[in-house]
Amino acid sequence: MHENNIELLCQEAERLLELNIDLLQKMLTEPKVLGDSNAQLFDRSKAKKRIEELQGEQIKISNKEMVLAIVGTMKAGKSTTINAIVGKEVLPNRNRPMTSIPTLIRHVPGKSTPYLHLGNVEPISKLILLLNKKIETVDGKQRVESLRKDKEKEKLLDILTDDWLKDNYNGEVEIFKCLSALNDLVRLATELGSEFPFHDYSEVHKLPVIQVEFSHLTGMDNSQGTLTLLDTPGPNEAGQPQLQAMMRDQLQKASAVLAVMDYTQLNSEADEQVRKELNAIAEVVAGRFFVLVNKFDQKDRNGDDADTVKQTVPTMLENGLLSSERVYPGSSRHAYLANHARSVISQGNQLSAREGWVNDFMMMAGCDEEDLADREYVLKRANKFWQHSFFDRLISEVIQAAHTKAAALAVDSAAAKLVQNSESADEYLALRHQGLQASIHSLQTQIKDLIKDIEEVAACQQEVDKEVKFVMGEITHETKKLLNNAESKLEKELDKYFQEGKRQEEALNKEFERHSKHDKNNRGESDKRGVFGTLLGAWAGNVGLQSRDFDPENPEVKFSEHAEAMQFIKKIEESVISILAEKEKEIKPMLTKIVGGH
């Protein structure tokens, strides 16, 4: 019944995961739903990352796999902790950073010899080819020369041949060689000014996988799924800033997290970086988060005891992420060496001092090479240091419990990711909905204001049209009146001209008035008239004003020459034009006054 329920839960989780992935895909393909800005709550890059996470959950659900991420700072003891859990040295320990890219260590019952499947080797092969070309350049040669000045760094150049690169590695020695080479390749790429292709290993199914039987899970029921450890790079590994983002990404994808903290460095800056990353994913790993406070064996008489550590560590994290019951003070080194020794003896074998880890065990246990022949004594010492490692509770409450409930925890992890995705998408879409509603409301208000403005403009237009019509009526009336009056006067002037044949009196009067305005004497009108009369008479005689254009009494005008006739016609034309021009001058200011007055 229990197994059936788990199966039903897995099926439902897979269905919901598929629905969520489909929703995110539609949000990506639909134009203008998601933006490209990383400042937004939910953008295209975040949607793509979320799809990767949910697809990873699909794989874990289908395999009923619970992924426990091991995270910690450089030299906090991540690799040693994993070796202690597995019971073998599947991950190498060196005095420099070792985790170049995340690596999965999967429990496979009966797999006594560890086996590494690298799989995605093409990006690494391309990098090696690129680096070989780069060292032939001027800049590359200078960098190589600089490397050769440091004996340790000079060794990095040995990995530029790809004879070590293959899909599969069998046994601890080959695995050690592969992982060490990968780590050195990361360092060499940095030294030569290139980047390791970390992005090609961002998805779970592209990560290197080590398959091996965990000694503490031997003989346990595997029907409810399996446990896989995820060795993540620390934020300060090999000076690679990309690894911090990679660690955050892998923590987000893990089913649960085991943080390895250094007892001697609990308040260090490096541990602070890890705490920030853990706080950032607090909601996702809530209830599935554990802390191993490693190197507790280095406690001196002034150091905090186990109970104090269990109470102190949770306060370093926010939002109630961790309870004291999930804090495990211990020693990964003691646990690994003791467990490895117990495993060898349980198989009926004897420890050999030719193996490096055995020398470490002898130093820890305080025995010599002769003591190794006494397996009972060695087992007794191993059991003692196993107890001193305080690893029993961690193994039973975290590792074995995680394996037993792997399927259920995988579903729980998927559910947490679904909730997170739902909340993020819902919050984003709600904000977009509010924004659209606000935009619609604003648009409706603007439309109403615009309609009101149009109505007001129309009303103004009517008033203006009415006013213009009235004014135009007045202007037309007054203009018509003016033109009629002008036309009447013009007709009289023309009639007079053709009756008399001259314009003498009017011209003389105008000249008289013009000159009289400039007279500076105070003489009487009669005096002015007498003086100017004489002057005007003389002037008129000079310009010909006293002569007529024609004799109106004579019905016929005869000319001896055509030129004389044309001159006669021209004179009459000029006089008529002159009369018209004078009337036009009189009309213009009056028309301007009429129009300007309205």
Side-chain angles (χ1 to χ4, degrees):
M1 179 66 72
H2 177 68
E3 293 179 2
N4 291 336
N5 290 337
I6 290 293
E7 188 63 35
L8 289 173
L9 286 173
C10 288
Q11 292 175 6
E12 180 62 13
E14 286 186 280
R15 185 184 71 83
L16 293 174
L17 286 167
E18 189 62 38
L19 285 175
N20 272 257
I21 291 171
D22 184 58
L23 173 62
L24 291 171
Q25 293 284 12
K26 288 179 179 178
M27 291 175 70
L28 284 171
T29 55
E30 192 68 26
K32 297 183 180 180
V33 172
L34 294 174
D36 294 317
S37 172
N38 289 326
Q40 294 186 22
L41 173 69
F42 200 73
D43 55 27
R44 296 184 66 82
S45 63
K46 290 183 176 66
K48 291 177 182 178
K49 185 63 65 177
R50 194 59 52 80
I51 288 174
E52 284 185 16
E53 292 173 8
L54 296 180
Q55 288 174 338
E57 293 301 315
Q58 280 184 314
I59 296 173
K60 287 186 283 185
I61 288 289
S62 62
N63 295 331
K64 295 183 176 63
E65 181 179 49
M66 188 273 194
V67 177
L68 177 63
I70 313 295
V71 60
T73 55
M74 182 179 71
K75 309 316 296 177
K78 297 191 307 295
S79 297
T80 306
T81 299
I82 291 172
N83 291 336
I85 293 172
V86 173
K88 291 183 174 64
E89 192 175 12
V90 293
L91 296 181
N93 282 299
R94 295 197 294 185
N95 292 325
R96 58 174 181 263
M98 275 305 302
T99 306
S100 55
I101 55 178
T103 303
L104 295 169
I105 303 94
R106 180 171 293 135
H107 168 61
V108 178
K111 194 74 174 177
S112 58
T113 301
Y115 171 86
L116 169 63
H117 177 66
L118 189 56
N120 190 25
V121 299
E122 186 177 357
I124 300 172
S125 180
K126 288 182 178 179
L127 176 62
I128 293 175
L129 182 63
L130 174 67
L131 295 180
N132 275 301
K133 290 181 179 179
K134 190 157 189 175
I135 62 175
E136 297 300 324
T137 65
V138 175
D139 177 65
K141 289 178 180 179
Q142 291 176 347
R143 290 175 181 267
V144 169
E145 188 64 27
S146 177
L147 287 174
R148 295 194 187 282
K149 295 178 181 179
D150 186 321
K151 291 185 178 181
E152 186 64 30
K153 290 183 178 180
E154 185 180 17
K155 295 177 182 178
L156 298 176
L157 297 171
D158 296 338
I159 62 171
L160 284 180
T161 58
D162 59 3
D163 56 347
W164 59 270
L165 186 62
K166 55 185 181 179
D167 289 332
N168 303 308
Y169 300 83
N170 199 44
E172 289 96 327
V173 175
E174 286 194 7
I175 292 174
F176 181 94
K177 180 180 178 180
C178 171
L179 296 181
S180 297
L182 278 177
N183 197 68
D184 288 343
L185 188 59
V186 173
R187 296 177 62 207
L188 180 62
T190 302
E191 294 290 344
L192 295 179
S194 298
E195 292 186 2
F196 188 87
F198 291 112
H199 58 277
D200 289 307
Y201 298 92
S202 60
E203 299 177 33
V204 174
H205 64 277
K206 292 183 178 180
L207 298 179
V209 181
I210 298 175
Q211 298 179 358
V212 65
E213 182 179 53
F214 295 6
S215 62
H216 298 290
L217 303 181
T218 301
M220 294 187 65
D221 181 19
N222 300 298
S223 62
Q224 294 304 312
T226 188
L227 172 66
T228 296
L229 305 179
L230 173 63
D231 184 22
T232 63
N236 57 346
E237 293 275 2
Q240 294 289 332
Q242 303 97 322
L243 296 181
Q244 187 171 359
M246 207 168 189
M247 180 187 76
R248 185 186 307 116
D249 182 43
Q250 293 303 326
L251 288 180
Q252 193 77 17
K253 295 175 181 177
S255 305
V257 175
L258 173 63
V260 181
M261 305 181 79
D262 188 339
Y263 174 78
T264 65
Q265 301 289 327
L266 279 182
N267 294 310
S268 68
E269 181 180 348
D271 272 353
E272 176 63 22
Q273 289 178 298
V274 173
R275 290 196 291 273
K276 286 180 179 179
E277 300 302 334
L278 294 174
N279 282 320
I281 61 164
E283 294 182 5
V284 183
V285 298
R288 291 171 284 110
F289 176 55
F290 312 90
V291 170
L292 167 66
V293 181
N294 192 27
K295 302 182 183 180
F296 190 65
D297 56 295
Q298 296 184 28
K299 173 188 174 302
D300 57 25
R301 60 188 180 85
N302 296 317
D304 292 338
D305 59 19
D307 288 336
T308 303
V309 169
K310 291 172 66 175
Q311 297 298 325
T312 302
V313 171
T315 63
M316 298 179 180
L317 301 167
E318 301 170 2
N319 304 320
L321 175 61
L322 183 66
S323 64
S324 60
E325 291 77 16
R326 294 177 181 267
V327 178
Y328 301 87
S331 171
S332 297
R333 185 172 183 275
H334 284 186
Y336 161 63
L337 293 173
N339 191 43
H340 203 166
R342 294 197 307 174
S343 178
V344 170
I345 293 173
S346 66
Q347 295 172 9
N349 298 320
Q350 180 175 313
L351 274 61
S352 172
R354 287 175 296 181
E355 297 185 58
W357 72 269
V358 174
N359 285 285
D360 292 338
F361 172 79
M362 289 191 297
M363 186 178 298
M364 176 190 74
C367 57
D368 53 32
E369 189 172 351
E370 294 179 359
D371 295 327
L372 297 181
D374 188 345
R375 288 188 296 174
E376 184 176 345
Y377 172 76
V378 171
L379 181 59
K380 182 178 179 180
R381 299 296 295 171
N383 286 335
K384 176 182 178 181
F385 279 93
W386 173 259
Q387 291 177 354
H388 289 173
S389 72
F390 298 103
F391 249 60
D392 263 332
R393 198 165 65 90
L394 176 68
I395 293 298
S396 62
E397 295 181 8
V398 179
I399 305 304
Q400 293 177 344
H403 175 69
T404 303
K405 299 181 292 185
L409 289 172
V411 172
D412 185 38
S413 173
K417 303 290 195 309
L418 287 169
V419 169
Q420 183 190 39
N421 179 64
S422 176
E423 289 177 348
S424 297
D426 183 63
E427 186 177 357
Y428 171 75
L429 293 175
L431 288 175
R432 285 295 304 272
H433 178 65
Q434 290 176 6
L436 288 173
Q437 281 188 323
S439 298
I440 292 171
H441 178 71
S442 175
L443 183 60
Q444 289 173 336
T445 302
Q446 291 176 19
I447 291 172
K448 289 179 181 178
D449 291 341
L450 184 58
I451 291 173
K452 184 179 178 181
D453 290 343
I454 292 172
E455 291 174 349
E456 291 178 356
V457 169
C460 289
Q461 185 67 44
Q462 290 178 356
E463 291 294 326
V464 170
D465 289 345
K466 184 178 179 181
E467 184 69 22
V468 168
K469 188 176 181 181
F470 174 76
V471 172
M472 288 302 296
E474 287 190 336
I475 292 174
T476 302
H477 174 73
E478 293 181 19
T479 302
K480 188 175 182 181
K481 181 179 177 181
L482 173 63
L483 292 176
N484 288 337
N485 186 38
E487 183 180 2
S488 176
K489 290 182 178 181
L490 181 61
E491 287 178 355
K492 289 179 180 179
E493 290 287 333
L494 291 173
D495 286 344
K496 185 177 179 181
Y497 170 70
F498 283 103
Q499 287 173 3
E500 298 179 358
K502 61 181 181 179
R503 300 187 64 218
Q504 181 181 10
E505 292 181 3
E506 183 180 355
L508 287 172
N509 288 334
K510 286 184 178 180
E511 284 299 316
F512 174 76
E513 290 174 0
R514 184 171 65 83
H515 286 282
S516 66
K517 290 179 180 178
H518 294 84
D519 182 31
K520 299 181 180 179
N521 298 321
N522 295 321
R523 291 174 296 180
E525 186 67 26
S526 59
D527 292 338
K528 288 188 283 183
R529 189 73 174 174
V531 174
F532 281 103
T534 303
L535 292 172
L536 287 173
W539 174 79
N542 292 332
V543 298
L545 287 175
Q546 291 178 335
S547 62
R548 294 179 176 180
D549 290 345
F550 59 91
D551 183 3
E553 301 297 332
N554 188 1
E556 290 185 7
V557 181
K558 294 182 180 181
F559 303 96
S560 58
E561 294 181 4
H562 179 268
E564 292 179 358
M566 294 303 297
Q567 187 177 2
F568 173 76
I569 292 171
K570 183 178 180 182
K571 186 183 293 184
I572 294 173
E573 183 182 356
E574 289 175 349
S575 294
V576 171
I577 291 174
S578 175
I579 293 170
L580 292 173
E582 288 175 2
K583 293 302 174 186
E584 184 180 349
K585 289 180 181 179
E586 293 177 5
I587 292 172
K588 277 186 177 180
M590 298 177 73
L591 282 173
T592 302
K593 185 177 180 181
I594 290 171
V595 175
H598 292 82

